[in-house]
Structure formats: C-alpha cells, structure tokens
Amino acid sequence: MKLETERLILKEINESYTEDILKIRSNPYINQFVKRNSPRNNYEALEFILHVKNKMQQGEMIFWGISHKDQRNLIGTICLWNFSEDRKTSEIGYELLPDYHKKGIMSEALTAVLQFGFDQLNLQTLLAFTNLLNKDSQSLLLKHHFSLEEGRKDENNAENIIFSLNRPKTD
C-alpha cells in the first residue's frame, strides 16, 4: 500500500518506526490542535502502531507514514479512516513535524492520498476535521478545493470545523 510522489514515500508503518511515531504524536505544536492521548514513551507509541496495524487488517483504516525518498525516518503521517458503512465517505487525517511545515510536503502527500481515495477506493466524499485555530491546515484544505461545512459540528470536539471534498466530476 505504498504511494510515491516526486519527493516522498507514503508507506505502511511497523514496529521499527516506534521512535518516529513517538516524536510525531507527542509533538507539542501538533498537539495544540489535536484532542488525543499522546504517547509518553516508546511503549505507548508501539501500542499505537499495533492499534493502527489491527485497524488496517480489519479494513477500517489506511495509514501511511510520510518520509522523504532519500530518508528512512518518518516526518509525518496521513490516513483515511472512519469510513461510512457504504464505503463512499471517509475522513482524512494528517500531521507533519513542524520543521517540515511550509515546504509543500503535506500538499504533495495529500494530493497522492486524494487521488488514491477517489481513483482506487472509489470514494465519493472526503471529510477533514481541523481545529478552528489551525490556519495552516485550513489553508491546505482550501488549496485542495475542500469546502467548509458551515454550521456542521464535530460532536467529539467543539473546537473543530469540518471541511468536505466531493469526488471530481469526470467528463
């Protein structure tokens, strides 16, 4: 389930990425925008990886680690998850270490995952939940033609706003 772009490899994660996942998911800058229990140590990061692998085996999630083609270390993650029962809608989630912000990396990864979701999975709609203070994430979504779902609320996090993108029409 590997995707490649000009600069990046999006790949399945495994136990060998425990330290990278700990670094990403415990990053204070990222976590100011995300409501979650962040791993505090390698053991908790490993538990997360095993959870992701289980969800992937059950078909409930597709999760990629993001790395530069010439490096092994992960610099971020991106996933499709929370599929609708008819598998026509999915939520997309992503995170990137702050040192790599403003370099087009997440835009490049998002383009590949959008194409995969629409072309390979035949999704009709993608949803993105982002913190109302996370202007970089909102800009990324708008750049990729997501629309703000005015008035729609995230039942699990009142600080989130919701964006959606429908499958592009083909002529």
Side-chain angles (χ1 to χ4, degrees), residues 34-80:
V34 184
K35 216 167 149 181
R36 66 176 171 207
N37 293 323
S38 298
R40 295 173 303 223
N41 53 47
N42 280 358
Y43 178 78
E44 290 179 359
L46 178 60
E47 278 186 324
F48 173 77
I49 291 169
L50 297 174
H51 170 78
V52 164
K53 287 176 73 172
N54 184 43
K55 292 288 187 192
M56 288 183 65
Q57 288 170 348
Q58 294 174 14
E60 295 178 30
M61 169 188 281
I62 303 172
F63 191 99
W64 294 273
I66 302 168
S67 66
H68 283 285
K69 281 186 173 177
D70 60 349
Q71 297 173 352
R72 185 188 179 288
N73 285 20
L74 301 181
I75 59 173
T77 68
I78 190 165
C79 67
L80 295 171

Side-chain angles (χ1 to χ4, degrees), residues 118-160:
F118 289 132
D119 296 349
Q120 303 299 313
L121 301 180
N122 203 27
L123 292 169
Q124 300 303 307
T125 304
L126 283 164
L127 299 173
F129 292 59
T130 193
N131 187 287
L132 56 91
L133 300 177
N134 192 342
K135 299 302 181 195
D136 289 341
S137 180
Q138 293 170 42
S139 295
L140 174 72
L141 294 169
L142 291 170
K143 177 183 176 182
H144 288 273
H145 311 291
F146 279 75
S147 301
L148 177 62
E149 294 278 320
E150 303 270 355
R152 189 167 173 190
K153 303 283 183 218
D154 180 351
E155 296 169 13
N156 300 316
N157 186 349
E159 296 173 1
N160 278 348

Side-chain angles (χ1 to χ4, degrees), residues 17-35:
Y17 294 107
T18 299
E19 288 184 16
D20 292 343
I21 291 298
L22 177 63
K23 186 176 179 183
I24 294 164
R25 293 188 60 87
S26 65
N27 183 279
Y29 181 81
I30 294 170
N31 286 333
Q32 71 180 322
F33 300 118
V34 184
K35 216 167 149 181

